[in-house]
C-alpha cells in the first residue's frame, strides 16, 4: 500500500504507551518527550486533523508518586495508583497543550461504557461533540473503578475500540518496539521486520508472542488483536516506536515507518461482536 495515502487521513487516534512517556528507571514522566509529543499532536490539529489520544501512564505515574517500588499487584493498589496518576497525567497534558492554545478533555471509559448500548451511543456522541469543538480528547480506561472485574485491560485494545467507535481512519500505536517482527527481536537476532500487513492471518496471530514490558500491559499479541478490530472497522493501523516522537509526523508524511496494517472495512462490522467475545464477557 502506498504510504502517501496516510497523508490524507483525517480522524486519527494515537495511542501512547506508558513506556513512551515515562523514564524507565524511575517511572517519572519524561517531560521532554511529552513536550515533543504534545507539539506534534497540536500541530496535527492545526493542520485540520481530528486527533484523539489514548494515553497510558496512570498506574505507572501514580506508583511513582506514592513511592511504590514494585509494580502494584493487588486491585486496590492499582486502583489507588491510577487515581493519583491519572490526575497528574492530565495536569501535565493540559499544561503542555495549553502552551499551544489547544484544549483537551479527559475521557475515562470502562468495558461497560462500550457494552451498554445507551452509554456507548452517548460516548460516541460526546467524542463527536468534542472533535467538532476542536478539542483533543485524552482517553484512558477508568482504572480506578475498572481494574480486574470490568476491565478492557490494555490500551492497545482500548485504542482500537475507540477507533472503531468514532470511525477513525487511522490508528497509530506508539510502542516500545519498531513494529512487527517474525520473532522476538530481543531474543532472536534473525527476526525479520514486517513493514506491511495486508491481512491478519492465523499464522500472523500465532507469531504475536506476549512480551509485556515492565510498565505497560500490551505485548505483541494484544497489538495484533487491536489491529484486527481497527482494520475490520475500517481504520489503517501503524505500530511504531515511541522512542522517537517524530515518528508520528513521519508516518503522517507518508514515510516508511513501523508496520502498517491495511484497513479492509467489513460492512458487517459490529463493535459489539468484538466486545462479546469470551475475553470480554462477564
Ligand atoms: N490504563 C493503564 C494506565 O494508564 C495502562 C494500560 C496499558 O498500558 O495498556 O496505567
Amino acid at each position: 500500500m502506498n504510504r502517501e495515502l496516510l497523508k490524507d487521513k483525517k480522524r486519527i487516534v494515537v495511542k501512547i504507551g506508558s513506556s513512551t512517556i515515562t523514564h524507565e528507571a524511575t517511572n517519572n514522566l519524561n517531560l521532554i518527550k511529552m513536550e515533543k509529543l504534545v507539539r506534534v499532536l497540536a500541530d496535527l490539529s492545526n493542520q485540520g486533523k481530528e486527533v484523539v489520544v489514548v494515553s497510558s501512564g496512570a498506574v505507572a505515574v501514580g506508583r511513582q508518586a506514592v513511592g511504590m517500588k514494585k509494580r502494584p499487584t493487588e486491585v486496590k493498589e492499582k486502583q489507588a495508583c491510577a487515581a493519583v496518576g491519572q490526575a497528574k497525567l492530565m495536569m501535565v497534558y493540559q499544561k503542555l497543550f495549553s502552551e499551544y492554545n489547544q484544549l483537551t478533555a479527559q475521557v475515562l471509559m470502562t468495558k461497560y461504557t462500550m457494552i451498554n448500548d445507551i452509554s456507548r451511543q452517548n460516548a460516541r456522541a460526546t467524542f463527536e461533540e468534542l472533535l467538532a469543538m476542536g478539542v483533543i480528547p485524552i482517553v484512558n480506561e477508568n482504572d480506578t473503578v475498572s481494574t480486574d472485574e470490568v476491565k478492557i485491560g490494555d490500551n492497545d485494545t482500548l485504542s482500537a475500540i475507540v477507533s472503531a467507535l468514532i470511525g477513525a481512519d487511522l490508528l497509530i500505536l506508539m510502542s516500545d518496539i519498531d513494529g512487527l517482527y517474525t520473532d522476538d527481536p530481543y531474543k532472536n537476532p534473525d527476526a525479520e521486520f514486517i513493514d506491511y500487513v495486508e491481512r491478519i492471518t492465523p499464522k500472523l496471530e500465532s507469531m504475536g508472542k506476549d512480551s509485556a514490558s515492565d510498565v505497560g500491559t500490551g505485548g505483541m499479541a494484544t497489538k495484533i488483536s487491536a489491529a484486527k478490530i481497527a482494520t475490520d472497522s475500517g481504520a489503517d493501523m501503524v505500530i511504531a516506536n515511541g522512542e522517537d516522537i517524530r515518528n508520528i509526523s513521519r508516518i503522517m508524511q507518508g514515510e516508511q515507518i513501523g508496520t502498517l496494517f491495511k484497513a479492509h472495512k467489513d460492512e458487517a462490522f459490529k463493535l459489539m461482536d468484538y466486545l462479546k467475545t469470551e475475553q470480554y464477557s462477564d
Side-chain angles (χ1 to χ4, degrees):
M1 181 180 149
N2 183 355
R3 288 282 192 133
E4 295 274 315
L5 294 174
L6 298 190
K7 285 181 176 172
D8 300 326
K9 299 293 178 184
K10 180 84 190 0
R11 183 168 283 192
I12 302 142
V13 176
V14 183
K15 183 258 171 175
I16 308 294
S18 307
S19 58
T20 299
I21 51 166
T22 57
H23 288 286
E24 201 183 342
T26 60
N27 281 329
N28 269 322
L29 285 172
N30 184 332
L31 294 173
I32 299 206
K33 275 179 86 179
M34 282 191 83
E35 276 179 6
K36 287 182 185 157
L37 171 70
V38 164
R39 192 155 57 108
V40 166
L41 296 174
D43 192 59
L44 283 180
S45 171
N46 284 354
Q47 290 168 37
K49 313 254 184 217
E50 294 174 326
V51 181
V52 173
V53 180
V54 175
S55 178
S56 306
V59 177
V61 170
R63 162 186 161 190
Q64 185 281 331
V66 299
M68 194 179 286
K69 292 275 180 287
K70 61 167 189 35
R71 199 172 179 165
T73 46
E74 279 190 58
V75 172
K76 63 183 179 187
E77 287 177 332
K78 281 190 231 168
Q79 298 200 160
C81 285
V84 173
Q86 179 65 28
K88 286 195 83 161
L89 195 59
M90 277 313 293
M91 196 179 72
V92 175
Y93 272 123
Q94 288 202 306
K95 177 178 185 300
L96 296 175
F97 271 111
S98 72
E99 287 174 16
Y100 300 101
N101 214 12
Q102 174 63 57
L103 274 179
T104 54
Q106 172 179 259
V107 181
L108 297 179
M109 304 173 76
T110 67
K111 189 178 72 170
Y112 286 138
T113 318
M114 303 306 301
I115 284 181
N116 180 282
D117 287 345
I118 296 179
S119 56
R120 189 176 66 256
Q121 283 155 19
N122 282 336
R124 179 185 295 129
T126 304
F127 274 111
E128 289 295 343
E129 193 67 24
L130 288 167
L131 293 172
M133 289 169 168
V135 173
I136 295 184
I138 301 180
V139 186
N140 199 355
E141 184 151 15
N142 194 351
D143 297 310
T144 301
V145 296
S146 78
T147 308
D148 247 26
E149 61 284 12
V150 292
K151 69 178 177 180
I152 291 170
D154 69 88
N155 279 5
D156 295 327
T157 308
L158 176 64
S159 62
I161 288 173
V162 168
S163 298
L165 177 73
I166 64 171
D169 47 17
L170 177 64
L171 166 62
I172 300 177
L173 292 189
M174 295 298 272
S175 175
D176 54 2
I177 190 160
D178 292 335
L180 189 62
Y181 285 85
T182 51
D183 197 1
D184 185 341
Y186 296 114
K187 293 185 190 141
N188 179 358
D190 296 329
E192 280 171 39
F193 189 71
I194 302 171
D195 62 6
Y196 179 60
V197 176
E198 174 86 29
R199 280 260 164 196
I200 298 162
T201 57
K203 184 168 166 248
L204 192 80
E205 279 179 276
S206 69
M207 262 160 43
K209 273 196 258 130
D210 223 347
S211 57
S213 63
D214 184 46
V215 286
T217 41
M220 200 39 86
T222 66
K223 290 181 176 52
I224 291 176
S225 79
K228 268 189 102 147
I229 300 174
T231 56
D232 283 355
S233 80
D236 286 322
M237 183 181 116
V238 179
I239 301 176
N241 203 324
E243 188 55 40
D244 191 346
I245 291 296
R246 286 172 303 181
N247 281 341
I248 298 175
S249 321
R250 293 183 181 134
I251 291 165
M252 295 309 301
Q253 282 156 15
E255 284 184 42
Q256 199 76 34
I257 302 284
T259 302
L260 169 64
F261 295 78
K262 185 179 179 292
H264 38 81
K265 192 168 170 53
D266 177 353
E267 288 312 324
F269 177 86
K270 282 200 191 67
L271 188 50
M272 286 308 290
D273 294 346
Y274 290 81
L275 297 168
K276 280 194 175 142
T277 60
E278 221 179 306
Q279 196 186 350
Y280 297 109
S281 60
D282 294 319

